[in-house]
Amino acid sequence: MMRLLVGLSGLALIAAYAPVAMGPVQDAAIVEKGFPKKLSDYGFFADLPKQVPVDSVRPYTLNAALFSDKAEKRRFLYVPEGQPVSFAERDGLLELPVGSALIKTFGYDNADGVFEPIETRLLLHRADGWLALPYIWDADGMDATLKVTGGRFDIDAPVGPAGARQIFTYSVPNKNQCKGCHERDGEVTPIGPKLRNLDNGMADESNQIGRWQQAGLLPDILPDYPVMPRFDSDSAPIGTRARAYLDINCAHCHNRQGPASNSGLYLSYQESDNTALGLYKRPVAAGRGSGGHEFAVHPGHPDSSIMLYRMSTTEPGIAMPELGRSMNDEQGVALIREWIASLEPARGAISKDDL
C-alpha cells in the first residue's frame, strides 16, 4: 500500500525505523481526562511500527469481521492486571473493567507484501464510559497521531478482483462517526469481542478463549453460547454463515437497542423472529432506499430483496452499511444472495433452525 499523498515508499521508511514505543502500558493515558496526541503515548507496543505488543497487551482474532474496504485489521486487548472480565448475558459481549483498551489497526500490504498501517482506532474504557479515538499513521510509519476529525486518503492497495492493486479513497471516521457503529442504548460500547465470535470451536491451543481462561483473564466456567462460524468457510451451513455476516456487519445498528432500532429489522445472531430478520418484512418507510422492492428479505428471490439491493450499491443514502466502506463487499453480497435464494418462499414455513 502506498499513500499517494505522501509519495514515498513505506517499505523503505520502515526498513530505516528505530522502535518508538516501549512498555509498560500507561494506564493514566487510558483513564484520565484528555486525549493523548500520539499512539505511542499509551505504551501498548514494544515495537510500534511493527505492531509488536507488550506482554500485557493481547492480540486477538474474530471468527467474523466487519467489512472495511478489504482492510487487514490487527486487534489487541488490554485489561489492567488483576481486574475481572465478565460478559453480557444477552450476547456474550465481554464486559471489560475501567482502564481496559481495545486497539485495532487498519492497513494493507504494500507491493512487496509488507503490511503498512493507515489508522489505529482505540476504544478506551474510562470511568464515564467508553471513548472512541482515531489515530492516523504518520507518513514515516513510525507513530500515529490523533485526528478527531478523521481523514481521507487516496491509496493504492490490493482491493481489486483477485487481489489486483487499485487506487481508491480510504476514509477514517471522525470521533463522532465512531458512535454510529458503537452506540447501544445511547452509550458507546465495543462490538466484536463476544464469546461466540472469539471462540473458534477448537479444543486446542488455537482457541483464544481457552488461553484466556488459563491466563486468568476469563472465568473457568462460562455460559453456553453458540460458536459463530467463519462466513468465508464452507464448513457451516449457508444459513449460519449468513447470520454470522449480518451479525457483525449490520447488527451493531440493527438490534433492539441500536441506532436502527426504529427500523424493526434486527439482525443479531441470537434474533429468533423471522420477520425481525427481514423475511417478508416491509420497510417502515417507502423511499428510494427500497429500490421499489417490497420486502427486506424476499425468500427465494434475492434480486427483489431490499437487503441485497442496499448491500450492492455505494450510492449515498442507499448503501448499507452507511459507514466504513467505499466499495461493495463482493463476497458478502454473494453470501447473502445464496442465503436468500436458499430460503423457501413461503411465509411461516421457515424455522430458526433453517436459518
Side-chain angles (χ1 to χ4, degrees):
M1 181 275 296
M2 178 176 67
R3 293 189 199 180
L4 298 181
L5 296 180
V6 175
L8 296 174
S9 167
L11 179 63
L13 291 166
I14 288 176
Y17 86 94
V20 170
M22 301 292 287
V25 172
Q26 301 301 303
D27 293 297
I30 299 174
V31 299
E32 292 185 356
K33 292 183 178 179
F35 306 151
K37 182 179 179 181
K38 308 294 287 191
L39 182 59
S40 57
D41 292 338
Y42 296 90
F44 292 135
F45 296 94
D47 185 331
L48 181 54
K50 289 187 176 179
Q51 296 281 280
V52 179
V54 297
D55 290 343
S56 57
V57 174
R58 294 175 168 85
Y60 70 96
T61 59
L62 300 176
N63 299 338
L66 175 70
F67 176 80
S68 305
D69 282 348
K70 300 183 180 180
E72 179 182 340
K73 302 173 188 176
R74 298 184 175 183
R75 300 175 176 83
F76 305 91
L77 165 68
Y78 172 72
V79 177
E81 186 175 358
Q83 296 294 311
V85 174
S86 57
F87 33 83
E89 289 187 8
R90 65 186 176 192
D91 58 7
L93 178 69
L94 298 190
E95 293 185 336
L96 303 169
V98 170
S100 299
L102 290 164
I103 306 129
K104 184 163 61 175
T105 295
F106 297 65
Y108 298 90
D109 286 350
N110 64 18
D112 295 300
V114 177
F115 177 78
E116 290 191 20
I118 297 177
E119 56 157 327
T120 296
R121 302 179 192 176
L122 300 184
L123 274 178
L124 309 176
H125 197 183
R126 295 182 168 177
D128 57 353
W130 285 94
L131 172 68
L133 294 176
Y135 288 77
I136 295 177
W137 279 74
D138 301 337
D140 62 5
M142 301 287 286
D143 204 343
T145 302
L146 177 65
K147 297 289 184 183
V148 294
T149 57
R152 292 169 63 85
F153 306 94
D154 288 333
I155 63 173
D156 180 359
V159 297
R165 301 195 72 81
Q166 179 176 305
I167 297 172
F168 72 105
T169 300
Y170 182 92
S171 296
V172 178
N174 63 44
K175 180 173 175 289
N176 289 329
Q177 286 175 320
C178 293
K179 296 179 182 176
C181 293
H182 285 277
E183 185 175 355
R184 190 160 189 163
D185 285 334
E187 303 283 341
V188 174
T189 184
I191 298 172
K194 301 180 174 75
L195 293 173
R196 67 186 182 221
N197 204 14
L198 292 163
D199 189 334
N200 68 0
M202 305 297 290
D204 57 28
E205 281 296 311
S206 69
N207 195 324
Q208 57 201 350
I209 291 292
R211 295 201 307 274
W212 289 0
Q213 286 180 302
Q214 291 178 356
L217 185 67
L218 291 177
D220 292 336
I221 300 176
L222 298 173
D224 291 333
Y225 55 86
V227 174
M228 208 160 70
R230 292 177 58 95
F231 52 74
D232 58 354
S233 169
D234 292 333
S235 61
I238 180 64
T240 51
R241 288 190 288 124
R243 293 292 304 276
Y245 182 89
L246 295 173
D247 181 89
I248 198 64
N249 280 279
C250 310
H252 48 270
C253 288
H254 284 280
N255 67 77
R256 295 175 187 273
Q257 296 81 34
S261 60
N262 60 355
S263 70
L265 182 65
Y266 308 134
L267 302 175
S268 300
Y269 197 69
Q270 70 270 21
E271 181 59 54
S272 59
D273 184 297
N274 286 346
T275 302
L277 286 167
L279 278 65
Y280 293 108
K281 180 190 177 306
R282 291 182 170 83
V284 293
R288 67 190 190 102
S290 72
H293 303 309
E294 188 175 4
F295 304 117
V297 174
H298 191 179
H301 302 279
D303 288 323
S304 60
S305 297
I306 298 171
M307 178 182 289
L308 195 68
Y309 169 70
R310 303 192 72 168
M311 288 178 60
S312 304
T313 181
T314 57
E315 185 175 342
I318 298 178
M320 284 287 175
E322 294 177 322
L323 299 173
R325 70 177 179 98
S326 64
M327 63 185 72
N328 292 334
D329 179 3
E330 300 96 343
Q331 184 184 38
V333 168
L335 176 71
I336 298 304
R337 172 181 291 281
E338 182 181 353
W339 171 58
I340 296 175
S342 74
L343 298 175
E344 182 70 23
R347 187 174 190 181
I350 302 167
S351 71
K352 185 174 185 297
D353 291 339
D354 296 324
L355 302 177

